[in-house]
């Protein structure tokens, strides 16, 4: 599980910003996840609000950059550089300053802290600590300016020095270690490479293929997920269309996974059932179908699902249901987390009993006069327990809304 994420000098995130999944209070909630050995609980869901172009997506993109750097820097970043970072560009000083990324996360019940600092040419710093029984263990540190850049703790067993010699100046040691089968670091590597999943329901390509693959292996789970949305679909049939050569002959042994799948969505009518192709379904149905694979996958293994523009092509009631799935310990026994950004203020509405999102699950972004994004939680404002958060947000009580100037109307001459 993700505990905290910090970033500085990435896109509009100039100064260090922190997204915390640590609960600010308990308030009788039964869906928090206790951090063993620490007097703290973790949240399963967090939502980010803000005006257009305020930097909501950049928070998720920063975490995605960190994942991609861990997964790809050793394998795919060009050896001669440059590092594909995106610093804050609205002032000259920041564009030349390093970028920094750090994540605290829970792995097999132990808290880990991993981070790195880089510029466009090299990795300047890199570090990995663990905290078993609240005591910090240094697994490794890296400082490019030091006489001996790498230092390894005694807890990190393995071919550390050999892999050090294989680590380029512009790639991460963690990435190189995984590429060379460093057994002790594979779990940390996998937490980033496999447990952080990103996407947007409006741009469905990859996620749709993910759902198709799951439909092949676990059809009942996907169909149940679709049926739960009350879209009028009672069954989904998955077939394959053959790959043909230039003369139109079928290549019987050559079937492509996902791309050549034929989907039929069966709708029950007063007469006989009617089947529609995915392209004939509404955008909302297409978006919900694309979510099925990533959502069911992350619920099955645990991890963090990050959704950009949750409200895009998705009915508010479906967004509410998705949040409820992640909040429910029975439907989410592996403690998977959902982090999303949205404009949907319906999610802020609270019935008199239990709110959908509590105050510590709601975050805002706002840009200052210099174009830098600031990320802050609703708890900074200490709203009353049953305050109407939707109304307060739309009235500008918490900031993070656009200031709209009236458009002047000119009369024709």
């Amino acid at each position: 599980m993700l505990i905290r994420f910090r970033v500085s000098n990435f896109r509009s995130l100039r100064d260090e910003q922190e997204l915390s999944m640590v609960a600010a209070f308990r308030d009788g909630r039964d869906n928090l996840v206790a951090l063993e050995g620490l007097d703290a609980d973790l949240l399963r869901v967090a939502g980010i609000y803000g005006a257009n172009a305020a930097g909501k997506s950049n928070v998720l993109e920063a975490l995605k950059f960190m994942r991609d750097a861990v997964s790809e820097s050793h394998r795919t970043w060009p050896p001669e550089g440059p590092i594909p970072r995106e610093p804050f560009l609205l002032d000259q000083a920041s564009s030349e300053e390093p970028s920094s990324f750090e994540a605290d996360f829970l792995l097999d019940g132990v808290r880990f802290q991993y981070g790195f600092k880089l510029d466009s040419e090299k990795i300047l710093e890199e570090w990995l600590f663990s905290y078993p029984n609240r005591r910090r263990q240094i697994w490794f540190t890296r400082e490019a300016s030091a006489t001996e850049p790498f230092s390894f703790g005694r807890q990190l067993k393995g071919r550390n020095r050999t892999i050090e010699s294989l680590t380029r100046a512009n790639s991460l040691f963690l990435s190189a270690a995984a590429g060379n089968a460093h057994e002790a670091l594979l779990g940390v590597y996998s937490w980033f490479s496999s447990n952080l999943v990103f996407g947007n329901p409006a741009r469905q390509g990859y996620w749709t293929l993910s759902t198709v693959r799951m439909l092949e292996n676990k059809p009942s789970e996907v169909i149940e997920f679709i049926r739960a949305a009350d879209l009028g679909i009672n069954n989904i049939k998955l077939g394959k269309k053959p790959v043909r050569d230039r003369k139109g002959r079928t290549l019987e042994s050559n079937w492509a996974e996902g791309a050549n799948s034929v989907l039929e969505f069966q709708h029950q009518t007063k007469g006989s059932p009617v089947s529609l192709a995915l392209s004939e379904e509404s955008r909302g149905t297409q978006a919900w179908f694309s979510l099925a694979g990533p959502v069911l996958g992350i619920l099955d293994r645990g991890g963090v699902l990050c959704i950009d523009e949750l409200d895009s092509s998705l009915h508010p009631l479906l967004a509410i249901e998705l949040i409820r799935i992640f909040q429910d310990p029975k439907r989410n026994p592996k403690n998977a987390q959902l982090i999303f950004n949205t404009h949907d203020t319906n999610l802020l509405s609270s019935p008199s009993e239990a709110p959908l999102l509590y105050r510590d699950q709601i975050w805002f972004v706002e840009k200052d006069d210099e174009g830098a994004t600031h990320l802050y939680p609703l708890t900074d404002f200490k709203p009353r327990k049953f305050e109407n958060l939707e109304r307060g947000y739309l009235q500008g009580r918490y900031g993070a809304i656009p200031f709209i100037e009236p458009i002047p109307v000119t009369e024709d001459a």
Side-chain angles (χ1 to χ4, degrees):
M1 296 186 75
L2 179 67
I3 301 173
R4 295 183 186 88
F5 171 61
R6 302 178 190 87
V7 57
S8 65
N9 200 19
F10 177 82
R11 294 191 176 181
S12 64
L13 305 167
R14 182 187 60 188
D15 308 311
E16 184 177 87
Q17 305 298 317
E18 177 181 286
L19 176 68
S20 174
M21 298 298 288
V22 177
F25 52 87
R26 288 194 170 94
D27 202 23
R29 287 180 281 182
D30 62 358
N31 56 18
L32 300 177
V33 181
L35 273 173
E36 294 184 14
L38 296 175
D39 187 24
D41 301 291
L42 293 183
L43 303 166
R44 298 169 186 262
V45 177
I48 305 172
Y49 284 81
N52 288 326
K56 297 188 302 298
S57 296
N58 289 343
V59 176
L60 300 186
E61 285 294 329
L63 185 57
K64 183 177 183 293
F65 176 87
M66 187 177 192
R67 181 202 67 176
D68 293 346
V70 170
S71 301
E72 302 172 6
S73 62
H74 176 70
R75 183 171 52 91
T76 66
W77 285 6
E80 68 279 3
I83 290 176
R85 70 169 186 139
E86 299 179 72
F88 185 80
L89 296 176
L90 297 185
D91 67 64
Q92 185 64 31
S94 295
S95 66
E96 298 173 357
E97 288 292 314
S99 301
S100 180
F101 304 81
E102 183 178 70
D104 290 57
F105 55 95
L106 204 61
L107 177 62
D108 296 329
V110 177
R111 175 193 163 204
F112 282 83
Q113 185 178 50
Y114 172 73
F116 53 85
K117 184 180 291 187
L118 50 76
D119 60 20
S120 298
E121 297 179 356
K122 59 182 178 294
I123 309 298
L124 302 172
E125 298 178 31
E126 187 179 3
W127 58 92
L128 176 62
F129 310 132
S130 71
Y131 294 83
N133 303 316
R134 299 195 184 192
R135 296 184 177 180
R136 188 175 81 158
Q137 293 181 354
I138 299 175
W139 282 34
F140 72 83
T141 60
R142 173 186 189 179
E143 189 171 350
S145 61
T147 305
E148 295 289 339
F150 285 87
S151 175
F152 300 99
R154 65 178 183 275
Q155 290 83 10
L156 186 61
K157 309 296 183 182
R159 299 180 299 124
N160 298 327
R161 293 299 176 186
T162 300
I163 295 173
E164 175 190 348
S165 66
L166 300 173
T167 304
R168 301 191 313 271
N170 69 343
S171 71
L172 296 171
F173 177 81
L174 180 57
S175 182
N180 289 277
H182 193 304
E183 187 174 350
L185 291 174
L186 285 178
V188 175
Y189 171 86
S190 295
W191 189 90
F192 285 95
S193 63
S194 302
N195 283 13
L196 293 177
V197 178
F198 298 82
N200 182 317
R203 297 187 287 273
Q204 302 155 7
Y206 174 78
W207 277 13
T208 298
L209 290 179
S210 171
T211 302
V212 169
R213 294 187 184 103
M214 180 162 285
L215 190 61
E216 292 174 331
N217 299 316
K218 299 180 179 180
S220 61
E221 292 186 21
V222 176
I223 293 171
E224 182 181 352
F225 184 85
I226 300 300
R227 284 176 177 167
D230 193 26
L231 300 169
I233 297 169
N234 58 16
N235 198 14
I236 305 173
K237 285 190 175 181
L238 176 64
K240 290 284 189 180
K241 61 182 179 182
V243 177
R244 303 182 185 277
D245 63 16
R246 293 181 179 180
K247 295 183 178 181
R249 293 174 299 190
T250 301
L251 304 177
E252 297 290 347
S253 61
N254 188 3
W255 299 89
E257 182 183 20
N260 291 317
S261 298
V262 177
L263 290 165
E264 290 186 4
F265 293 80
Q266 294 187 343
H267 294 253
Q268 185 60 51
T269 66
K270 291 182 179 180
S272 58
V274 174
S275 294
L276 298 177
L278 179 61
S279 60
E280 297 174 306
E281 296 286 352
S282 69
R283 285 191 297 174
T285 296
Q286 293 176 28
W288 189 252
F289 179 78
S290 75
L291 281 170
V295 168
L296 294 173
I298 213 81
L299 291 173
D300 183 60
R301 66 181 183 270
V304 186
L305 181 63
C306 300
I307 300 182
D308 188 27
E309 300 179 12
L310 178 64
D311 51 316
S312 180
S313 302
L314 209 59
H315 191 279
L317 291 180
L318 293 183
I320 289 172
E321 176 60 18
L322 184 64
I323 292 170
R324 284 176 173 162
I325 289 172
F326 277 83
Q327 299 271 49
D328 187 351
K330 292 182 180 178
R331 291 191 284 179
N332 182 12
K334 299 291 182 65
N335 302 325
Q337 292 170 299
L338 171 66
I339 302 174
F340 64 90
N341 64 53
T342 185
H343 292 290
D344 186 359
T345 60
N346 290 288
L347 307 180
L348 300 175
S349 301
S350 300
S352 57
E353 58 275 6
L356 178 68
L357 294 172
Y358 282 78
R359 292 163 288 160
D360 54 357
Q361 296 179 286
I362 300 169
W363 291 75
F364 301 111
V365 292
E366 191 170 57
K367 277 188 176 178
D368 61 23
D369 293 339
E370 296 177 338
T373 294
H374 297 269
L375 174 68
Y376 55 95
L378 175 60
T379 51
D380 281 357
F381 295 87
K382 298 180 173 58
R384 297 185 304 276
K385 187 173 183 179
F386 294 114
E387 181 173 320
N388 189 319
L389 302 180
E390 181 180 23
R391 182 188 304 164
Y393 173 61
L394 292 175
Q395 291 176 345
R397 195 175 301 164
Y398 321 124
I401 62 171
F403 177 75
I404 303 174
E405 294 185 359
I407 299 174
V409 178
T410 58
E411 296 183 0
D412 294 333

